[in-house]
């Protein structure tokens, strides 16, 4: 199966019938909430891996008070890696006795569902998620395992280019880069150096270190622009690595050239959103939450956003429930309330994460904050893809990241295509051995 298979089905943003769809969706959501009357005297806890989501969950809980005045919601939003450890310990031990609403990305949740550590969604929730008026097939499938709904789609991490308008103007650049070759030439023009030639402001902040999965995901996004993929679904429904090819070589070489040849970025330089907000990098690729972060930390920063040349990774995050009986009713009621159109738009405007609900009219938000347009108004044919929701995705990305971080530090690789190909082949072989071990290696 072609590389595009990983990205199927491509999300097609609907513009027609938004208003009628919104009204219908609201009616459906209200009916579902009204049917869960036992939620009115329950306690539940929301676990999140994104601290910036705490106000959103508080907003949802406050909005439920009219219908559920006795519902007590505790919100615990902590950094993602700590959240992942907390969820793993709680679900694997089975020792948690409280009603939990758990925020998880689809790939991580799949392994818990496959091991019966997460319950299936009740029939009314499954029907809500499966209704195409509420969610596209892309999000329904990523809230499901083996065709069974386990979660409620909430938001997605989707990236675009952020670029500093003042730095672009000073470099004589009037528009964002449109090809990966232009990313290289733009990075050279935008890099600011001291008298010795050492870069003081990076032209393009690349993810070179940090959390394992993040390094691999960011590399995968660049790889996708060259037509490549780390994992590709095969015709038999299984998976194989397709990393060792021309696209893989181009993607890795682009990193190496920027680090070691043109020296537009180094592992030691400030990076990511913080560097962008402080004027320490001219452009970088990141999710929409950065818009809200800039508004708080660098409100006078002159910047814009732009879509990537081919498309973007989309990391769907869903709400799952770990509870029984009436407590489960309260937890599912909360998950459904989080998907009410008003709440989804509130999340976009105030937090910056992209809502997954279909039929939302975001015009008012994009009019007041144009930076959101690159995320919610994608060009025709723009493709979104997701990390496969299979048990070994985390392990695969961690292994790939380890090899990438080592490669980024090897200056000799920048001039040695054969060595790059050998490294990619070794990584591809390692991934396929993992898939074979789990009985998931495709033909």
């Amino acid at each position: 199966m072609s590389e595009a298979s990983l990205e199927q089905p491509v999300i097609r943003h609907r513009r027609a019938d938004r208003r009628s769809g919104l009204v219908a969706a609201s009616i459906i959501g209200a009916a579902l909430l009204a049917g869960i009357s036992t939620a009115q005297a329950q306690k539940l806890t929301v676990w999140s891996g994104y601290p910036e989501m705490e106000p959103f969950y508080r907003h949802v809980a406050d909005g439920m008070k009219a219908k559920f005045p006795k519902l007590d919601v505790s919100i615990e939003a902590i950094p993602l890696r700590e959240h992942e450890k907390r969820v793993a310990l709680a679900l694997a031990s089975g020792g948690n006795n409280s009603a939990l609403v758990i925020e998880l990305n689809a790939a991580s949740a799949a392994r818990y569902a496959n091991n019966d550590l997460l319950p299936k969604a009740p029939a009314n929730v499954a029907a809500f998620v499966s209704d195409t008026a509420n969610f596209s097939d892309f999000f329904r499938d990523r809230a499901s395992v083996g065709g069974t709904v386990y979660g409620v789609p909430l938001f997605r991490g989707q990236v675009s280019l952020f670029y500093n308008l003042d730095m672009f103007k000073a470099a004589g650049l009037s528009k964002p880069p449109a090809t990966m070759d232009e990313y290289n030439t733009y990075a050279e023009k935008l890099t600011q150096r001291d008298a010795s030639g050492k870069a003081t402001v990076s032209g393009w902040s690349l993810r070179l270190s940090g959390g394992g999965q993040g390094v691999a995901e960011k590399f995968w996004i660049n790889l996708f622009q060259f037509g490549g993929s780390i994992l590709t679904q095969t015709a038999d429904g299984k998976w194989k690595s397709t990393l060792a090819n021309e696209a893989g070589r181009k993607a890795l070489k682009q990193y190496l050239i920027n680090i070691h040849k043109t020296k537009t970025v180094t592992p030691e330089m400030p990076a990511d959103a913080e560097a962008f907000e402080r004027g320490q990098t001219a452009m970088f690729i990141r999710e929409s939450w950065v818009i809200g972060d800039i508004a708080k930390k660098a409100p006078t920063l002159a910047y814009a956003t732009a879509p990537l040349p081919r498309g973007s990774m989309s990391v769907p995050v869903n709400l799952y429930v770990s509870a029984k009986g009436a407590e489960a009713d309260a937890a599912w009621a909360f998950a459904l309330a989080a998907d009410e159109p008003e709440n989804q738009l509130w999340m976009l405007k105030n937090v910056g994460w992209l809502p997954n609900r279909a039929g939302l009219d975001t015009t008012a938000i994009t009019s007041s904050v144009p930076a959101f347009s690159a995320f919610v108004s994608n060009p025709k044919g723009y493709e979104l893809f997701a990390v496969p929701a299979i048990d070994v995705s985390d392990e695969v990305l961690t292994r790939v990241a380890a090899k990438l971080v080592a490669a980024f530090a090897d200056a000799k690789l920048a001039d040695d295509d054969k060595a790059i190909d050998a490294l990619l082949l070794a990584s591809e072989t390692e991934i396929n051995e993992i898939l074979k071990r789990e009985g998931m290696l495709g033909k």
Side-chain angles (χ1 to χ4, degrees):
M1 189 172 290
S2 70
E3 290 168 339
S5 298
L6 178 61
E7 288 73 55
Q8 295 298 325
V10 171
I11 298 175
R12 304 192 185 284
H13 296 279
R14 303 174 186 175
R15 295 180 180 277
D17 298 329
R18 277 180 172 168
R19 192 171 300 279
S20 60
L22 195 65
V23 173
S26 297
I27 294 172
I28 293 170
L32 286 167
L33 285 172
I36 307 176
S37 59
T38 51
Q40 293 185 22
Q42 302 300 322
K43 293 183 178 180
L44 63 89
T45 301
V46 181
W47 279 359
S48 169
Y50 301 89
E52 66 272 18
M53 284 291 285
E54 193 277 340
F56 168 72
Y57 292 124
R58 179 60 55 201
H59 177 78
V60 173
D62 290 344
M64 294 179 69
K65 287 181 178 177
K67 286 183 177 294
F68 310 101
K70 297 182 180 179
L71 183 62
D72 183 8
V73 180
S74 174
I75 300 163
E76 298 179 9
I78 61 177
L80 184 58
R81 300 306 170 208
E82 297 304 313
H83 170 67
E84 291 172 342
K85 294 175 184 176
R86 173 177 61 179
V87 172
L89 289 171
L91 295 183
S93 67
N96 183 70
N97 294 318
S98 61
L100 293 176
V101 176
I102 305 174
E103 178 197 83
L104 280 175
N105 70 60
S108 296
R111 66 172 182 267
Y112 297 122
N114 281 328
N115 289 284
D116 296 325
L117 297 176
L118 280 175
K120 301 173 184 176
N124 61 332
V125 176
F128 173 77
V129 173
S130 300
D131 189 337
T132 55
N134 298 329
F135 302 103
S136 69
D137 293 347
F138 180 92
F139 293 118
R140 178 206 61 202
D141 292 346
R142 281 153 184 81
S144 306
V145 176
T148 298
V149 175
Y150 280 79
V152 177
L154 182 62
F155 70 85
R156 66 183 183 277
Q158 179 181 321
V159 300
S160 291
L161 175 71
F162 287 78
Y163 59 102
N164 185 304
L165 291 172
D166 291 336
M167 292 182 187
F168 266 56
K169 183 178 180 180
L173 300 170
S174 59
K175 59 183 180 181
T179 67
M180 295 311 280
D181 285 341
E182 284 190 350
Y183 270 76
N184 288 337
T185 56
Y186 274 49
E188 286 190 71
K189 292 180 178 179
L190 290 163
T191 299
Q192 299 175 29
R193 305 178 188 279
D194 62 18
S196 69
K198 180 182 178 182
T200 55
V201 173
S202 62
W204 179 14
S205 179
L206 291 160
R207 179 68 68 86
L208 305 178
S209 61
Q213 283 191 238
V215 171
E217 287 180 357
K218 297 300 183 291
F219 175 79
W220 196 340
I221 292 166
N222 286 16
L223 171 66
F224 184 75
Q225 312 312 315
F226 290 106
S229 179
I230 293 178
L231 288 169
T232 299
Q233 192 165 28
T234 54
D236 55 5
K238 297 183 178 180
W239 299 86
K240 67 177 181 181
S241 175
T242 53
L243 188 56
N245 51 36
E246 184 179 4
R249 185 191 315 124
K250 287 182 175 178
L252 181 52
K253 193 163 185 175
Q254 183 174 54
Y255 273 77
L256 294 167
I257 287 174
N258 275 278
I259 299 168
H260 299 294
K261 305 292 286 187
T262 56
K263 301 182 186 298
T264 64
V265 64
T266 69
E268 295 77 24
M269 297 184 77
D272 215 81
E274 186 173 337
F276 187 71
E277 291 162 358
R278 293 182 176 180
Q280 296 168 324
T281 188
M283 61 179 186
F284 78 131
I285 295 171
R286 208 61 164 100
E287 297 92 345
S288 56
W289 65 265
V290 175
I291 296 171
D293 204 57
I294 291 173
K296 295 176 183 175
K297 299 177 181 176
T300 61
L301 181 68
Y303 77 100
T305 60
L308 303 184
R310 181 187 172 197
S312 170
M313 174 181 284
S314 176
V315 181
V317 176
N318 308 316
L319 292 180
Y320 300 85
V321 164
S322 177
K324 296 179 181 178
E327 290 189 338
D329 291 343
W332 286 115
F334 184 90
L336 292 172
D339 262 326
E340 282 293 298
E342 182 274 330
N343 286 333
Q344 288 270 280
L345 292 171
W346 193 97
M347 178 178 68
L348 175 63
K349 180 181 179 181
N350 295 282
V351 183
W353 285 112
L354 302 181
N356 289 342
R357 185 81 180 255
L360 298 177
D361 185 354
T362 60
T363 305
I365 297 174
T366 55
S367 295
S368 62
V369 187
F372 279 121
S373 296
F375 295 91
V376 300
S377 302
N378 299 143
K380 185 179 181 180
Y382 200 66
E383 297 178 72
L384 301 184
F385 71 101
V387 175
I390 55 179
D391 287 3
V392 299
S393 287
D394 289 354
E395 182 179 0
V396 166
L397 290 176
T398 300
R399 297 287 187 93
V400 171
K403 280 189 164 54
L404 288 174
V405 171
F408 296 157
D410 188 350
K412 296 179 181 177
L413 279 178
D415 291 316
D416 193 339
D417 284 2
K418 289 185 178 179
I420 291 175
D421 290 346
L423 185 151
L424 293 171
L425 181 59
S427 187
E428 178 179 290
T429 300
E430 183 178 15
I431 296 169
N432 286 334
E433 287 176 349
I434 294 171
L435 292 166
K436 184 178 181 180
R437 182 195 73 201
E438 300 297 323
M440 302 174 69
L441 180 60
K443 297 180 180 177

